[in-house]
Amino acid sequence: MSPKAISESEIVATAIFSCVSFLLMGLVLILFFYFSRKKITQKELEKRDLEIQYQKEQLHAIIVTQEEERKRIAQDLHDDISSKLNIVSLNTHLLSASNLTEAETKEITGNIISLTTKALENSRKIAHNLLPPVFEKFGLSAGVQELCAEFETSKLVKVHYKNTVDFDDNDIDRQLHVFRILQEFMNNSIRHGKASEIKISFSEENGIVTCNYEDNGIGFDSKSDENQKGLGMKNIDSRISFLKGTIQISSEINKGFAANFTF
């Protein structure tokens, strides 16, 4: 075989080897991108599943909270309003008796007036708990101020409130969630934390409002799963999720409670 023929065969072999090598490299790259994309897609699906699961848990927490609230309102209506109106009805029927003395008539009338007055007061309290009139008329800051004043009337706690934010009056639905979060915190501070002092403040930076809350109560282990998964915390988390905000909570036994959340 001539040197020229050998040279041509080597060139052809080299060309074929190069083509095969490029094909193999291309196949390897295709397989790499395929499996990489598959892995990325799988992670995205897993992340989406977690988000959906989280949303389901939040929705469940909201539903449970609403049902608890309905039960509480129904119980209040039954215990405070219905029972008093039943007695008013009985006393009204007594007035129709023909043999009543003037003193008996006066006593029954006084009972009716007293019971209806108490029923009115209790109905106002129930309505106030659903949506405080001050909050509805003047907004979040005024509502929080009134809430602080109400807690201070118990003489059990001193509340310090500071606000530098001009809240939008048209955003009342979202602000109601903030109000409910603070209600939950304050109730917990008194009932469970035995706090004697509470501090609340609002501040704003770059359009993000931050609420800082702290008390000097007995505190709790904030790292405990049981404390993190309680109905109250699930309720707060669901409200924060609705507000598209973040929340950080810190507490230790005998070192009080602190939380800050954004919205």
Side-chain angles (χ1 to χ4, degrees):
M1 186 177 289
S2 66
K4 184 177 181 181
I6 294 172
S7 178
E8 287 178 352
S9 64
E10 288 177 348
I11 292 171
V12 171
T14 303
I16 292 172
F17 178 77
S18 299
C19 289
V20 172
S21 297
F22 280 121
L23 286 172
L24 288 172
M25 288 178 63
L27 181 62
V28 169
L29 287 172
I30 290 171
L31 289 172
F32 173 77
F33 284 117
Y34 171 76
F35 285 109
S36 295
R37 182 60 188 167
K38 187 177 180 182
K39 191 173 182 179
I40 291 170
T41 303
Q42 186 177 357
K43 285 186 176 294
E44 288 176 348
L45 289 172
E46 289 174 355
K47 182 180 179 182
R48 186 177 178 184
D49 288 341
L50 287 173
E51 289 176 349
I52 292 172
Q53 182 62 31
Y54 177 75
Q55 289 172 356
K56 286 181 179 178
E57 289 177 357
Q58 297 302 310
L59 180 60
H60 176 72
I62 291 173
I63 292 171
V64 170
T65 302
Q66 288 175 339
E67 288 303 314
E68 290 294 325
E69 186 68 9
R70 290 190 184 104
K71 287 179 183 177
R72 186 189 64 78
I73 294 168
Q75 191 69 39
D76 286 346
L77 288 172
H78 178 270
D79 294 344
D80 289 335
I81 309 299
S82 296
S83 62
K84 287 180 174 60
L85 291 179
N86 283 332
I87 299 173
V88 168
S89 178
L90 290 172
N91 277 272
T92 303
H93 285 297
L94 287 175
L95 284 176
S96 61
S98 59
N99 57 345
L100 289 177
T101 64
E102 184 178 347
E104 288 173 334
T105 301
K106 186 176 180 181
E107 181 184 356
I108 293 170
T109 303
N111 288 337
I112 292 173
I113 293 172
S114 175
L115 287 166
T116 51
T117 300
K118 288 179 180 177
L120 283 170
E121 288 176 356
N122 289 336
S123 65
R124 288 194 192 101
K125 287 179 182 178
I126 293 170
H128 185 276
N129 287 332
L130 290 174
L131 185 62
V134 171
F135 178 93
E136 189 176 17
K137 290 181 180 179
F138 304 107
L140 177 59
S141 187
V144 174
Q145 277 184 316
E146 185 184 53
L147 183 65
C148 295
E150 287 176 353
F151 272 85
E152 284 196 325
T153 58
S154 67
K155 306 298 181 182
L156 297 174
V157 65
K158 177 69 178 176
V159 186
H160 306 276
Y161 174 59
K162 181 181 179 182
N163 176 43
T164 59
V165 181
D166 185 15
F167 292 107
D168 184 0
D169 293 338
N170 296 320
D171 203 16
I172 200 74
D173 290 338
R174 289 168 56 82
Q175 291 172 18
L176 182 57
H177 285 284
V178 178
F179 183 83
R180 295 303 187 204
I181 290 170
L182 289 174
Q183 253 187 336
E184 185 75 28
F185 281 157
M186 295 177 79
N187 282 324
N188 288 340
S189 291
I190 300 297
R191 285 186 295 185
H192 306 300
K194 312 300 180 186
S196 61
E197 190 172 12
I198 294 173
K199 295 179 181 179
I200 302 171
S201 66
F202 288 110
S203 59
E204 183 176 7
E205 186 174 353
N206 299 325
I208 302 296
V209 180
T210 299
C211 177
N212 290 297
Y213 179 97
E214 61 180 278
D215 69 34
N216 66 344
I218 61 175
F220 60 90
D221 182 5
S222 59
K223 296 179 182 178
S224 166
D225 289 340
E226 184 179 349
N227 290 327
Q228 291 180 2
K229 294 179 181 179
L231 179 61
M233 283 309 304
K234 283 186 177 180
N235 182 24
I236 290 170
D237 285 342
S238 65
R239 293 187 189 280
I240 293 294
S241 178
F242 178 85
L243 293 168
K244 296 180 180 179
T246 60
I247 185 168
Q248 291 181 330
I249 288 176
S250 62
S251 181
E252 294 180 34
I253 296 174
N254 297 322
K255 290 188 178 180
F257 170 83
N260 68 75
F261 61 93
T262 62
F263 59 97

